mmCIF file of all heavy atoms in Angstrom:
data_model
loop_
_atom_site.group_PDB
_atom_site.id
_atom_site.type_symbol
_atom_site.label_atom_id
_atom_site.label_comp_id
_atom_site.label_asym_id
_atom_site.label_seq_id
_atom_site.Cartn_x
_atom_site.Cartn_y
_atom_site.Cartn_z
ATOM 1 N N MET W 22 -9.564 -6.220 -5.927
ATOM 2 C CA MET W 22 -10.501 -5.152 -5.590
ATOM 3 C C MET W 22 -11.841 -5.447 -6.253
ATOM 4 O O MET W 22 -11.931 -5.490 -7.481
ATOM 5 C CB MET W 22 -9.956 -3.802 -6.066
ATOM 6 C CG MET W 22 -8.573 -3.483 -5.534
ATOM 7 S SD MET W 22 -8.017 -1.814 -5.925
ATOM 8 C CE MET W 22 -7.928 -1.896 -7.711
ATOM 9 N N ASN W 23 -12.839 -5.657 -5.438
ATOM 10 C CA ASN W 23 -14.191 -5.934 -5.919
ATOM 11 C C ASN W 23 -15.132 -4.810 -5.503
ATOM 12 O O ASN W 23 -14.815 -4.016 -4.617
ATOM 13 C CB ASN W 23 -14.683 -7.262 -5.362
ATOM 14 C CG ASN W 23 -13.841 -8.435 -5.782
ATOM 15 O OD1 ASN W 23 -13.251 -8.456 -6.863
ATOM 16 N ND2 ASN W 23 -13.747 -9.438 -4.910
ATOM 17 N N SER W 24 -16.298 -4.773 -6.130
ATOM 18 C CA SER W 24 -17.318 -3.771 -5.798
ATOM 19 C C SER W 24 -16.722 -2.375 -5.753
ATOM 20 O O SER W 24 -16.943 -1.603 -4.808
ATOM 21 C CB SER W 24 -17.967 -4.116 -4.452
ATOM 22 O OG SER W 24 -18.539 -5.394 -4.481
ATOM 23 N N LEU W 25 -15.973 -2.045 -6.781
ATOM 24 C CA LEU W 25 -15.287 -0.761 -6.800
ATOM 25 C C LEU W 25 -16.267 0.398 -6.856
ATOM 26 O O LEU W 25 -17.344 0.301 -7.461
ATOM 27 C CB LEU W 25 -14.316 -0.706 -7.989
ATOM 28 C CG LEU W 25 -13.007 -1.480 -7.749
ATOM 29 C CD1 LEU W 25 -12.319 -1.805 -9.065
ATOM 30 C CD2 LEU W 25 -12.088 -0.691 -6.836
ATOM 31 N N LYS W 26 -15.861 1.485 -6.212
ATOM 32 C CA LYS W 26 -16.667 2.697 -6.130
ATOM 33 C C LYS W 26 -15.896 3.865 -6.735
ATOM 34 O O LYS W 26 -14.649 3.848 -6.738
ATOM 35 C CB LYS W 26 -16.986 3.013 -4.665
ATOM 36 C CG LYS W 26 -17.652 1.888 -3.899
ATOM 37 C CD LYS W 26 -17.802 2.254 -2.426
ATOM 38 C CE LYS W 26 -18.450 1.129 -1.637
ATOM 39 N NZ LYS W 26 -18.595 1.480 -0.199
ATOM 40 N N PRO W 27 -16.585 4.884 -7.179
ATOM 41 C CA PRO W 27 -15.865 6.064 -7.715
ATOM 42 C C PRO W 27 -14.861 6.644 -6.727
ATOM 43 O O PRO W 27 -13.795 7.134 -7.137
ATOM 44 C CB PRO W 27 -16.997 7.036 -8.021
ATOM 45 C CG PRO W 27 -18.168 6.170 -8.337
ATOM 46 C CD PRO W 27 -18.036 4.996 -7.394
ATOM 47 N N GLU W 28 -15.166 6.551 -5.456
ATOM 48 C CA GLU W 28 -14.242 7.095 -4.449
ATOM 49 C C GLU W 28 -12.975 6.261 -4.280
ATOM 50 O O GLU W 28 -12.062 6.658 -3.559
ATOM 51 C CB GLU W 28 -14.937 7.277 -3.097
ATOM 52 C CG GLU W 28 -15.674 6.049 -2.605
ATOM 53 C CD GLU W 28 -17.161 6.105 -2.941
ATOM 54 O OE1 GLU W 28 -17.522 6.468 -4.089
ATOM 55 O OE2 GLU W 28 -17.971 5.741 -2.046
ATOM 56 N N ASP W 29 -12.908 5.119 -4.939
ATOM 57 C CA ASP W 29 -11.674 4.332 -4.945
ATOM 58 C C ASP W 29 -10.678 4.852 -5.978
ATOM 59 O O ASP W 29 -9.536 4.383 -6.023
ATOM 60 C CB ASP W 29 -11.972 2.859 -5.241
ATOM 61 C CG ASP W 29 -12.771 2.184 -4.137
ATOM 62 O OD1 ASP W 29 -12.453 2.410 -2.951
ATOM 63 O OD2 ASP W 29 -13.703 1.421 -4.477
ATOM 64 N N THR W 30 -11.081 5.787 -6.810
ATOM 65 C CA THR W 30 -10.188 6.339 -7.826
ATOM 66 C C THR W 30 -8.960 6.966 -7.175
ATOM 67 O O THR W 30 -9.084 7.822 -6.293
ATOM 68 C CB THR W 30 -10.929 7.383 -8.673
ATOM 69 O OG1 THR W 30 -11.948 6.731 -9.425
ATOM 70 C CG2 THR W 30 -9.974 8.100 -9.620
ATOM 71 N N ALA W 31 -7.791 6.503 -7.599
ATOM 72 C CA ALA W 31 -6.539 6.961 -6.994
ATOM 73 C C ALA W 31 -5.370 6.301 -7.716
ATOM 74 O O ALA W 31 -5.562 5.371 -8.507
ATOM 75 C CB ALA W 31 -6.491 6.610 -5.515
ATOM 76 N N VAL W 32 -4.176 6.768 -7.394
ATOM 77 C CA VAL W 32 -2.967 6.031 -7.749
ATOM 78 C C VAL W 32 -2.682 5.073 -6.598
ATOM 79 O O VAL W 32 -2.650 5.485 -5.437
ATOM 80 C CB VAL W 32 -1.768 6.971 -7.968
ATOM 81 C CG1 VAL W 32 -0.521 6.155 -8.274
ATOM 82 C CG2 VAL W 32 -2.065 7.949 -9.103
ATOM 83 N N PHE W 33 -2.515 3.811 -6.927
ATOM 84 C CA PHE W 33 -2.259 2.776 -5.927
ATOM 85 C C PHE W 33 -0.770 2.432 -5.941
ATOM 86 O O PHE W 33 -0.178 2.193 -7.007
ATOM 87 C CB PHE W 33 -3.094 1.534 -6.225
ATOM 88 C CG PHE W 33 -4.524 1.667 -5.768
ATOM 89 C CD1 PHE W 33 -5.407 2.504 -6.429
ATOM 90 C CD2 PHE W 33 -4.991 0.952 -4.677
ATOM 91 C CE1 PHE W 33 -6.723 2.634 -6.016
ATOM 92 C CE2 PHE W 33 -6.307 1.066 -4.247
ATOM 93 C CZ PHE W 33 -7.175 1.910 -4.919
ATOM 94 N N TYR W 34 -0.198 2.400 -4.747
ATOM 95 C CA TYR W 34 1.219 2.124 -4.574
ATOM 96 C C TYR W 34 1.411 0.874 -3.720
ATOM 97 O O TYR W 34 0.693 0.684 -2.725
ATOM 98 C CB TYR W 34 1.911 3.275 -3.851
ATOM 99 C CG TYR W 34 1.871 4.596 -4.572
ATOM 100 C CD1 TYR W 34 0.829 5.487 -4.362
ATOM 101 C CD2 TYR W 34 2.888 4.955 -5.446
ATOM 102 C CE1 TYR W 34 0.792 6.709 -5.017
ATOM 103 C CE2 TYR W 34 2.861 6.172 -6.105
ATOM 104 C CZ TYR W 34 1.806 7.037 -5.881
ATOM 105 O OH TYR W 34 1.780 8.253 -6.528
ATOM 106 N N CYS W 35 2.396 0.054 -4.066
ATOM 107 C CA CYS W 35 2.793 -0.992 -3.139
ATOM 108 C C CYS W 35 4.061 -0.567 -2.426
ATOM 109 O O CYS W 35 4.816 0.282 -2.916
ATOM 110 C CB CYS W 35 2.951 -2.344 -3.825
ATOM 111 S SG CYS W 35 4.417 -2.544 -4.804
ATOM 112 N N ALA W 36 4.273 -1.138 -1.263
ATOM 113 C CA ALA W 36 5.392 -0.750 -0.413
ATOM 114 C C ALA W 36 5.895 -1.970 0.340
ATOM 115 O O ALA W 36 5.144 -2.916 0.591
ATOM 116 C CB ALA W 36 4.954 0.338 0.554
ATOM 117 N N ALA W 37 7.170 -1.901 0.728
ATOM 118 C CA ALA W 37 7.805 -3.015 1.422
ATOM 119 C C ALA W 37 8.515 -2.527 2.671
ATOM 120 O O ALA W 37 9.121 -1.443 2.679
ATOM 121 C CB ALA W 37 8.813 -3.702 0.494
ATOM 122 N N LYS W 38 8.421 -3.356 3.712
ATOM 123 C CA LYS W 38 9.114 -3.053 4.946
ATOM 124 C C LYS W 38 9.768 -4.324 5.476
ATOM 125 O O LYS W 38 9.104 -5.360 5.590
ATOM 126 C CB LYS W 38 8.158 -2.514 6.003
ATOM 127 C CG LYS W 38 8.918 -2.203 7.299
ATOM 128 C CD LYS W 38 8.064 -2.128 8.492
ATOM 129 C CE LYS W 38 8.859 -2.084 9.787
ATOM 130 N NZ LYS W 38 10.019 -1.186 9.809
ATOM 131 N N TYR W 39 11.037 -4.244 5.804
ATOM 132 C CA TYR W 39 11.721 -5.394 6.376
ATOM 133 C C TYR W 39 11.019 -5.777 7.677
ATOM 134 O O TYR W 39 10.797 -4.936 8.545
ATOM 135 C CB TYR W 39 13.190 -5.087 6.632
ATOM 136 C CG TYR W 39 13.947 -6.306 7.104
ATOM 137 C CD1 TYR W 39 14.389 -7.254 6.189
ATOM 138 C CD2 TYR W 39 14.181 -6.532 8.453
ATOM 139 C CE1 TYR W 39 15.057 -8.393 6.600
ATOM 140 C CE2 TYR W 39 14.859 -7.660 8.874
ATOM 141 C CZ TYR W 39 15.290 -8.582 7.950
ATOM 142 O OH TYR W 39 15.947 -9.705 8.370
ATOM 143 N N ALA W 40 10.705 -7.032 7.805
ATOM 144 C CA ALA W 40 9.887 -7.491 8.933
ATOM 145 C C ALA W 40 10.760 -7.863 10.121
ATOM 146 O O ALA W 40 10.958 -9.039 10.433
ATOM 147 C CB ALA W 40 9.034 -8.674 8.498
ATOM 148 N N TYR W 41 11.278 -6.825 10.804
ATOM 149 C CA TYR W 41 12.055 -7.080 12.017
ATOM 150 C C TYR W 41 11.201 -7.825 13.041
ATOM 151 O O TYR W 41 11.678 -8.730 13.738
ATOM 152 C CB TYR W 41 12.534 -5.763 12.628
ATOM 153 C CG TYR W 41 13.550 -5.041 11.787
ATOM 154 C CD1 TYR W 41 13.180 -3.986 10.973
ATOM 155 C CD2 TYR W 41 14.891 -5.431 11.807
ATOM 156 C CE1 TYR W 41 14.114 -3.325 10.188
ATOM 157 C CE2 TYR W 41 15.826 -4.776 11.034
ATOM 158 C CZ TYR W 41 15.435 -3.719 10.226
ATOM 159 O OH TYR W 41 16.351 -3.060 9.454
ATOM 160 N N LEU W 42 9.947 -7.404 13.161
ATOM 161 C CA LEU W 42 8.985 -8.093 14.018
ATOM 162 C C LEU W 42 8.117 -8.912 13.096
ATOM 163 O O LEU W 42 7.243 -8.375 12.406
ATOM 164 C CB LEU W 42 8.181 -7.075 14.822
ATOM 165 C CG LEU W 42 9.019 -6.189 15.742
ATOM 166 C CD1 LEU W 42 8.143 -5.131 16.410
ATOM 167 C CD2 LEU W 42 9.748 -7.022 16.781
ATOM 168 N N ARG W 43 8.333 -10.214 13.078
ATOM 169 C CA ARG W 43 7.851 -11.055 11.991
ATOM 170 C C ARG W 43 6.341 -11.033 11.831
ATOM 171 O O ARG W 43 5.832 -11.178 10.734
ATOM 172 C CB ARG W 43 8.330 -12.489 12.196
ATOM 173 C CG ARG W 43 9.824 -12.638 12.230
ATOM 174 C CD ARG W 43 10.431 -12.304 10.895
ATOM 175 N NE ARG W 43 10.477 -13.454 10.014
ATOM 176 C CZ ARG W 43 10.874 -13.396 8.747
ATOM 177 N NH1 ARG W 43 11.212 -12.233 8.204
ATOM 178 N NH2 ARG W 43 10.906 -14.487 8.013
ATOM 179 N N ASN W 44 5.635 -10.914 12.952
ATOM 180 C CA ASN W 44 4.182 -11.033 12.862
ATOM 181 C C ASN W 44 3.448 -9.697 12.943
ATOM 182 O O ASN W 44 2.233 -9.673 13.052
ATOM 183 C CB ASN W 44 3.673 -11.972 13.955
ATOM 184 C CG ASN W 44 4.145 -13.391 13.740
ATOM 185 O OD1 ASN W 44 4.166 -13.871 12.607
ATOM 186 N ND2 ASN W 44 4.542 -14.067 14.801
ATOM 187 N N ASN W 45 4.211 -8.615 12.866
ATOM 188 C CA ASN W 45 3.570 -7.297 12.862
ATOM 189 C C ASN W 45 2.974 -6.995 11.506
ATOM 190 O O ASN W 45 3.562 -7.294 10.470
ATOM 191 C CB ASN W 45 4.594 -6.210 13.207
ATOM 192 C CG ASN W 45 4.627 -5.924 14.680
ATOM 193 O OD1 ASN W 45 4.282 -6.784 15.485
ATOM 194 N ND2 ASN W 45 5.041 -4.734 15.043
ATOM 195 N N VAL W 46 1.806 -6.371 11.544
ATOM 196 C CA VAL W 46 1.192 -5.862 10.330
ATOM 197 C C VAL W 46 1.344 -4.348 10.363
ATOM 198 O O VAL W 46 0.896 -3.705 11.297
ATOM 199 C CB VAL W 46 -0.297 -6.257 10.253
ATOM 200 C CG1 VAL W 46 -0.905 -5.713 8.972
ATOM 201 C CG2 VAL W 46 -0.444 -7.762 10.300
ATOM 202 N N TYR W 47 2.002 -3.803 9.369
ATOM 203 C CA TYR W 47 2.324 -2.376 9.346
ATOM 204 C C TYR W 47 1.294 -1.628 8.525
ATOM 205 O O TYR W 47 0.858 -2.110 7.467
ATOM 206 C CB TYR W 47 3.725 -2.177 8.772
ATOM 207 C CG TYR W 47 4.786 -2.880 9.586
ATOM 208 C CD1 TYR W 47 5.283 -4.120 9.221
ATOM 209 C CD2 TYR W 47 5.269 -2.302 10.754
ATOM 210 C CE1 TYR W 47 6.238 -4.770 9.986
ATOM 211 C CE2 TYR W 47 6.225 -2.938 11.520
ATOM 212 C CZ TYR W 47 6.705 -4.172 11.140
ATOM 213 O OH TYR W 47 7.641 -4.803 11.902
ATOM 214 N N THR W 48 0.915 -0.429 9.004
ATOM 215 C CA THR W 48 -0.153 0.316 8.336
ATOM 216 C C THR W 48 0.177 1.773 8.056
ATOM 217 O O THR W 48 -0.597 2.442 7.371
ATOM 218 C CB THR W 48 -1.443 0.261 9.172
ATOM 219 O OG1 THR W 48 -1.201 0.902 10.427
ATOM 220 C CG2 THR W 48 -1.897 -1.168 9.416
ATOM 221 N N ALA W 49 1.269 2.272 8.574
ATOM 222 C CA ALA W 49 1.594 3.690 8.389
ATOM 223 C C ALA W 49 2.531 3.873 7.198
ATOM 224 O O ALA W 49 3.406 3.051 6.951
ATOM 225 C CB ALA W 49 2.246 4.261 9.639
ATOM 226 N N VAL W 50 2.344 4.992 6.492
ATOM 227 C CA VAL W 50 3.245 5.321 5.394
ATOM 228 C C VAL W 50 4.690 5.319 5.873
ATOM 229 O O VAL W 50 5.582 4.784 5.201
ATOM 230 C CB VAL W 50 2.873 6.688 4.793
ATOM 231 C CG1 VAL W 50 3.939 7.161 3.814
ATOM 232 C CG2 VAL W 50 1.523 6.632 4.098
ATOM 233 N N SER W 51 4.924 5.859 7.050
ATOM 234 C CA SER W 51 6.274 5.994 7.577
ATOM 235 C C SER W 51 6.899 4.646 7.958
ATOM 236 O O SER W 51 8.107 4.572 8.174
ATOM 237 C CB SER W 51 6.281 6.919 8.792
ATOM 238 O OG SER W 51 5.413 6.420 9.789
ATOM 239 N N ASP W 52 6.099 3.600 8.050
ATOM 240 C CA ASP W 52 6.637 2.273 8.376
ATOM 241 C C ASP W 52 7.442 1.690 7.221
ATOM 242 O O ASP W 52 8.328 0.875 7.425
ATOM 243 C CB ASP W 52 5.500 1.295 8.695
ATOM 244 C CG ASP W 52 4.862 1.559 10.051
ATOM 245 O OD1 ASP W 52 5.542 2.117 10.924
ATOM 246 O OD2 ASP W 52 3.676 1.194 10.208
ATOM 247 N N PHE W 53 7.104 2.071 5.997
ATOM 248 C CA PHE W 53 7.601 1.377 4.819
ATOM 249 C C PHE W 53 8.822 2.065 4.216
ATOM 250 O O PHE W 53 8.903 3.288 4.162
ATOM 251 C CB PHE W 53 6.480 1.246 3.780
ATOM 252 C CG PHE W 53 5.427 0.266 4.206
ATOM 253 C CD1 PHE W 53 4.402 0.653 5.056
ATOM 254 C CD2 PHE W 53 5.484 -1.055 3.783
ATOM 255 C CE1 PHE W 53 3.445 -0.260 5.480
ATOM 256 C CE2 PHE W 53 4.528 -1.972 4.192
ATOM 257 C CZ PHE W 53 3.510 -1.580 5.042
ATOM 258 N N THR W 54 9.742 1.220 3.741
ATOM 259 C CA THR W 54 11.028 1.701 3.248
ATOM 260 C C THR W 54 11.041 1.873 1.742
ATOM 261 O O THR W 54 11.592 2.841 1.232
ATOM 262 C CB THR W 54 12.137 0.714 3.638
ATOM 263 O OG1 THR W 54 12.096 0.486 5.046
ATOM 264 C CG2 THR W 54 13.508 1.237 3.235
ATOM 265 N N TYR W 55 10.473 0.899 1.053
ATOM 266 C CA TYR W 55 10.557 0.891 -0.410
ATOM 267 C C TYR W 55 9.166 1.069 -1.001
ATOM 268 O O TYR W 55 8.194 0.498 -0.491
ATOM 269 C CB TYR W 55 11.168 -0.422 -0.900
ATOM 270 C CG TYR W 55 12.551 -0.670 -0.359
ATOM 271 C CD1 TYR W 55 12.775 -1.667 0.588
ATOM 272 C CD2 TYR W 55 13.631 0.091 -0.791
ATOM 273 C CE1 TYR W 55 14.047 -1.894 1.090
ATOM 274 C CE2 TYR W 55 14.910 -0.130 -0.298
ATOM 275 C CZ TYR W 55 15.104 -1.123 0.648
ATOM 276 O OH TYR W 55 16.360 -1.336 1.141
ATOM 277 N N TRP W 56 9.113 1.806 -2.114
ATOM 278 C CA TRP W 56 7.845 2.129 -2.754
ATOM 279 C C TRP W 56 7.940 1.921 -4.263
ATOM 280 O O TRP W 56 8.987 2.148 -4.869
ATOM 281 C CB TRP W 56 7.475 3.590 -2.495
ATOM 282 C CG TRP W 56 7.157 3.861 -1.064
ATOM 283 C CD1 TRP W 56 8.039 4.117 -0.058
ATOM 284 C CD2 TRP W 56 5.855 3.846 -0.474
ATOM 285 N NE1 TRP W 56 7.364 4.285 1.140
ATOM 286 C CE2 TRP W 56 6.017 4.132 0.912
ATOM 287 C CE3 TRP W 56 4.571 3.645 -0.964
ATOM 288 C CZ2 TRP W 56 4.938 4.200 1.791
ATOM 289 C CZ3 TRP W 56 3.512 3.724 -0.084
ATOM 290 C CH2 TRP W 56 3.699 3.996 1.274
ATOM 291 N N GLY W 57 6.831 1.510 -4.831
ATOM 292 C CA GLY W 57 6.729 1.453 -6.271
ATOM 293 C C GLY W 57 6.329 2.801 -6.843
ATOM 294 O O GLY W 57 6.114 3.765 -6.101
ATOM 295 N N GLN W 58 6.214 2.846 -8.173
ATOM 296 C CA GLN W 58 5.875 4.090 -8.872
ATOM 297 C C GLN W 58 4.376 4.329 -8.936
ATOM 298 O O GLN W 58 3.949 5.444 -9.238
ATOM 299 C CB GLN W 58 6.459 4.068 -10.285
ATOM 300 C CG GLN W 58 7.969 4.127 -10.300
ATOM 301 C CD GLN W 58 8.501 5.369 -9.650
ATOM 302 O OE1 GLN W 58 8.141 6.485 -10.005
ATOM 303 N NE2 GLN W 58 9.371 5.202 -8.649
ATOM 304 N N GLY W 59 3.603 3.314 -8.676
ATOM 305 C CA GLY W 59 2.161 3.485 -8.648
ATOM 306 C C GLY W 59 1.479 3.059 -9.932
ATOM 307 O O GLY W 59 2.081 3.058 -11.011
ATOM 308 N N THR W 60 0.216 2.698 -9.794
ATOM 309 C CA THR W 60 -0.625 2.372 -10.934
ATOM 310 C C THR W 60 -1.967 3.065 -10.748
ATOM 311 O O THR W 60 -2.530 3.064 -9.650
ATOM 312 C CB THR W 60 -0.783 0.850 -11.103
ATOM 313 O OG1 THR W 60 -1.499 0.564 -12.307
ATOM 314 C CG2 THR W 60 -1.492 0.197 -9.926
ATOM 315 N N GLN W 61 -2.472 3.666 -11.813
ATOM 316 C CA GLN W 61 -3.694 4.469 -11.728
ATOM 317 C C GLN W 61 -4.924 3.573 -11.811
ATOM 318 O O GLN W 61 -5.026 2.701 -12.686
ATOM 319 C CB GLN W 61 -3.745 5.482 -12.871
ATOM 320 C CG GLN W 61 -4.990 6.346 -12.894
ATOM 321 C CD GLN W 61 -5.022 7.366 -11.773
ATOM 322 O OE1 GLN W 61 -4.036 8.067 -11.525
ATOM 323 N NE2 GLN W 61 -6.166 7.461 -11.089
ATOM 324 N N VAL W 62 -5.848 3.811 -10.897
ATOM 325 C CA VAL W 62 -7.148 3.141 -10.917
ATOM 326 C C VAL W 62 -8.218 4.223 -11.029
ATOM 327 O O VAL W 62 -8.264 5.144 -10.216
ATOM 328 C CB VAL W 62 -7.370 2.306 -9.643
ATOM 329 C CG1 VAL W 62 -8.798 1.794 -9.580
ATOM 330 C CG2 VAL W 62 -6.384 1.147 -9.603
ATOM 331 N N ASN W 63 -9.042 4.104 -12.049
ATOM 332 C CA ASN W 63 -10.150 5.038 -12.254
ATOM 333 C C ASN W 63 -11.453 4.255 -12.254
ATOM 334 O O ASN W 63 -11.603 3.293 -13.015
ATOM 335 C CB ASN W 63 -10.001 5.783 -13.577
ATOM 336 C CG ASN W 63 -8.847 6.762 -13.536
ATOM 337 O OD1 ASN W 63 -8.766 7.606 -12.655
ATOM 338 N ND2 ASN W 63 -7.959 6.660 -14.500
ATOM 339 N N VAL W 64 -12.373 4.681 -11.400
ATOM 340 C CA VAL W 64 -13.674 4.027 -11.308
ATOM 341 C C VAL W 64 -14.735 5.035 -11.723
ATOM 342 O O VAL W 64 -14.892 6.085 -11.091
ATOM 343 C CB VAL W 64 -13.951 3.517 -9.889
ATOM 344 C CG1 VAL W 64 -15.274 2.747 -9.858
ATOM 345 C CG2 VAL W 64 -12.801 2.626 -9.412
ATOM 346 N N SER W 65 -15.448 4.714 -12.790
ATOM 347 C CA SER W 65 -16.477 5.622 -13.298
ATOM 348 C C SER W 65 -17.836 5.269 -12.697
ATOM 349 O O SER W 65 -18.121 4.104 -12.406
ATOM 350 C CB SER W 65 -16.537 5.539 -14.814
ATOM 351 O OG SER W 65 -16.913 4.246 -15.224
#
């Protein structure tokens, strides 16, 4: 993450989805099965 802005402040989560369709890029929350606990990013 470069050129960070205050509006980027959030908890960031990574997620995993089994790639049944190998070349699909998934973008919806509902697409993903597994989630991490998150890491806080604060931009002043």
Side-chain angles (χ1 to χ4, degrees):
M22 305 187 296
N23 299 329
S24 302
L25 282 160
K26 305 174 181 180
E28 51 263 45
D29 294 317
T30 294
V32 178
F33 280 72
Y34 298 90
C35 75
K38 180 200 169 44
Y39 185 81
Y41 292 100
L42 300 175
R43 300 294 273 175
N44 294 320
N45 268 26
V46 180
Y47 300 98
T48 63
V50 170
S51 58
D52 287 334
F53 289 83
T54 306
Y55 301 109
W56 292 83
Q58 292 300 305
T60 186
Q61 179 71 47
V62 171
N63 290 306
V64 184
S65 63

